[in-house]
Each structure stands twice: as C-alpha cells, then as structure tokens.
Amino acid sequence: MASSNTFSLCSLFVIVTLGVLVGFTGKSHAKLSTNFYSKSCPQVFDAVKSVVKSAVSKDKRMGASLLRLHFHDCFVNGCDGSLLLDDTSSFTGEKTALPNNNSLRGFEVVDKIKSQVEKACPGVVSCADILAIASRDSVQILGGPSWEVKLGRRDSKTASLSAANSGVIPPPTATLNELTTRFRAVGLSQRDLVALSGAHTIGQARCTTFRARIYNETNIDASFARTRQNTCPRTAGHGDDNLAPLDITTPNTFDTAYFKNLVNQKGLLHSDQILFNGGPTDSLVKSYSGSANTFNADFAKAMIKMGDNKPLTGSKGEIRLNCRKPN
C-alpha cells in the first residue's frame, strides 16, 4: 500500500519472513475481542466515528489516509501504534521511512480522536485500537462495508525506522511475487492481498509513484496514460508531488470500480495493474469487478485478519495518553 493514500515492497529477507510466519500464531492475538471495551469504554465507537465523519466530510481523501495509517502500522512489527510515534532522543520513528515520508497524513485527525476518547474514558483505549476503528469507519462512511472490529491491542513504547525501511511495506513497483511474499509475511493470503488492494478504490497517489508506469509500461490504456501524463511530467523533479486518484472512475467512493479499472488496464500503480496481467490473480480481480458483495465480504475478512498481526496484549506495551509519544 505504497501510494499516497492507501492505503497510499536477499537471503536475509527470507530468514526474516520465515521468522515472522513462525511468530504469527493464534496465540499472539487470542486476547483481541469485539467486546473488549463493552464495560470499560462503551462510548469508544461513537467518539471515534464522530471525529472521522467530520474529518471525511471536510476532506474526502482523509478516509483513505486513515485507512492507510492502519495498513502501514500493521505491516511493521504488528498493529501496535508504533507508526504514530514522533522521534525521540532514544529512537527514530517510522514517519520518515521511505514508504511514509511526505506521504502519510491524518496524524492530526488521530490526535483529535484520541482527545475525544480520552474525555470519555481516560487511559483506557489504545492508539492502535483507534487506528483499527477509524479504518472501519472511514470505509463505511465512503460507501464500503462495515465489520466488527476486534480490539484489545496495546501501544508499543518504541518505533523502528529500520524496520519500516526494511521492505516489509510493498512499494508501488512491486511484482506479484513480491506482493504475495510480503503479505504472507504478515499472515495474509494472496486472496487477502487482492481484496486489500481494493482499498485503492479511494485515495490518491503522487506522480513519483506512477511516473514509470504511465511513460514506460505497455499494459496500460493509452488514453488513461495520456490523461495522467498531463499532470505528471516525464522528468523527475518536476511535478513529483502532483496527485492523481487511484480510482479514476469514483475516487471518493468505496466500491468495485478499482477492479473494473484493472480489467480495462487503468490501474494507476504498477502494483495495482500487476494484479490483472495474465497471472493467477486475474480471475479474482474479475470476480470482484462484477460482485460488490464478494469484494466487500472478502475485504472485511482481510481487514480483521490484518488487524490480528502480532498485537501487544495483556501487560505488554502500554495505553498511550498521547499517540505521538510514549508515556
């Protein structure tokens, strides 16, 4: 999910991947539950949704931004809120990592959500859980599915720039094999990969992430490529931050148009179009393009599964009072 919103990837890596897979067991997330705050903070859902709704009404792109924060948090050392930490004297955080720098946004909205939640239930709800709830709400508000969010994550006390830069977050240039490997490293199947890529039905990407595709690749609709070239010059350093919608058809609606675009060779990122390029995921892309029910159900399942990745539970970590810094 290496676009601007999104939502937006050597022998050492194989060892790391195997280590993650071994560590990814039911035991690690056994304490997550959908009713975790039913007694300690029943107001949490209303508190989160009110802020998300207000933010998305002012800026439709914010829904994709909040969703992408959850993705990029979960892919680096698990869903532990480490992504939200600012740099300190003892560690450099993840915000300036290559996949995140000048790309992730929405941190101020998370601050507002945390403030509202703290008013309702001081010191109870983690920042990691806030990201999970805000992601669900963002999708639903923009017309997508809802799901019961499993909760009970605690917040990490540190973050890792090197981990965020290690390649665990797939880049927009990733091949299908690279995407599949990176998703499997966090317990997600190839089907989950395709479903979660559907998050690119909302949000935008910077010219620098799709320049090579629109000028050099052949599996792209010619008219679509010309349209994107109008605002994304060929020369690096010119228009690098110019934005384009990941879904040219309905950029602010969570629907199946992303998959229809792929079938028509109108995927904006290389890592989008590679999902429909004569490979093993073609049939699933076609299935999603014709069935919102199938896509919505698979997307919801995959989001729950992703949220199960190595959370801190029990006495591990802490409940941060400020999402930007350890207590």
Side-chain angles (χ1 to χ4, degrees), residues 73-80 82 94 159-160 163-164 168 309-312:
D73 182 42
C74 288
F75 268 70
V76 181
N77 293 331
C79 311
D80 60 1
S82 59
E94 298 165 24
S160 173
V168 291
N309 185 30
K310 296 196 299 181
L312 299 174

Side-chain angles (χ1 to χ4, degrees), residues 270-317:
H270 174 86
S271 56
D272 289 326
Q273 194 59 56
I274 204 69
L275 300 177
F276 190 83
N277 194 45
T281 53
D282 283 19
S283 59
L284 189 54
V285 169
K286 273 212 163 182
S287 174
Y288 290 159
S289 74
S291 175
N293 288 339
T294 303
F295 166 54
N296 287 340
D298 281 2
F299 184 83
K301 288 176 190 172
M303 285 295 293
I304 293 168
K305 202 169 167 184
M306 183 183 76
D308 279 344
N309 185 30
K310 296 196 299 181
L312 299 174
T313 57
S315 61
K316 297 176 182 176

Side-chain angles (χ1 to χ4, degrees), residues 83 85-87 92-104 107 160-162 164-165:
L83 178 69
L85 289 170
D86 290 337
D87 299 346
T92 303
E94 298 165 24
K95 291 181 178 179
T96 56
L98 188 60
N100 302 335
N101 196 33
N102 297 320
S103 176
L104 292 182
F107 296 108
S160 173
L161 177 68
S162 60
N165 271 330

Side-chain angles (χ1 to χ4, degrees), residues 13-28:
F13 178 76
V14 171
I15 293 168
V16 173
T17 301
L18 288 171
V20 173
L21 284 169
V22 169
F24 189 86
T25 65
K27 199 176 213 179
S28 69

Side-chain angles (χ1 to χ4, degrees), residues 58-299:
K58 294 172 186 171
D59 174 12
K60 290 288 192 296
R61 185 183 168 207
M62 189 53 68
S65 298
L66 292 172
L67 178 56
R68 189 161 178 253
L69 288 177
H70 187 40
F71 273 104
H72 281 226
D73 182 42
C74 288
F75 268 70
V76 181
N77 293 331
C79 311
D80 60 1
S82 59
L83 178 69
L84 303 173
L85 289 170
D86 290 337
D87 299 346
T88 70
S89 58
S90 59
F91 66 81
T92 303
E94 298 165 24
K95 291 181 178 179
T96 56
L98 188 60
N100 302 335
N101 196 33
N102 297 320
S103 176
L104 292 182
R105 59 198 292 272
F107 296 108
E108 296 80 7
V109 176
V110 174
D111 292 340
K112 287 180 183 176
I113 296 171
K114 181 62 172 174
S115 179
Q116 286 294 106
V117 172
E118 284 299 305
K119 285 177 186 174
C121 320
V124 174
V125 180
S126 69
C127 301
D129 276 350
I130 284 174
L131 286 182
I133 299 169
S135 295
R136 187 271 312 273
D137 291 348
S138 295
V139 169
Q140 185 181 27
I141 289 166
L142 291 173
S146 184
W147 58 91
E148 288 195 66
V149 182
K150 291 166 69 174
L151 302 166
R153 301 169 192 82
R154 289 166 65 84
D155 297 319
S156 66
K157 299 178 183 181
T158 188
S160 173
L161 177 68
S162 60
N165 271 330
S166 68
V168 291
I169 300 172
T173 55
T175 66
L176 183 56
N177 282 341
E178 288 169 340
L179 288 169
T180 301
T181 296
R182 281 150 179 76
F183 273 70
R184 283 182 177 154
V186 292
L188 298 167
S189 67
Q190 195 169 69
R191 189 179 187 94
D192 297 325
L193 155 64
V194 179
L196 291 173
S197 294
H200 285 183
T201 184
I202 53 174
Q204 301 186 56
R206 294 181 299 150
C207 167
T208 186
T209 65
F210 59 84
R211 176 183 280 126
R213 169 154 168 76
I214 63 173
Y215 286 103
N216 302 332
E217 298 188 6
T218 56
N219 60 341
I220 187 168
D221 177 84
S223 176
F224 172 70
R226 285 193 297 270
T227 298
R228 292 281 65 91
Q229 290 168 6
N230 287 335
T231 54
C232 181
R234 183 188 292 269
T235 307
H238 295 268
D240 286 2
D241 293 331
N242 291 353
L243 297 172
L246 287 155
D247 172 1
I248 196 172
T249 311
T250 52
N252 295 316
T253 304
F254 198 98
D255 56 18
T256 60
Y258 166 82
F259 296 105
K260 293 172 184 173
N261 293 338
L262 296 187
V263 172
N264 292 316
Q265 295 194 316
K266 294 181 180 180
L268 184 62
L269 306 178
H270 174 86
S271 56
D272 289 326
Q273 194 59 56
I274 204 69
L275 300 177
F276 190 83
N277 194 45
T281 53
D282 283 19
S283 59
L284 189 54
V285 169
K286 273 212 163 182
S287 174
Y288 290 159
S289 74
S291 175
N293 288 339
T294 303
F295 166 54
N296 287 340
D298 281 2
F299 184 83

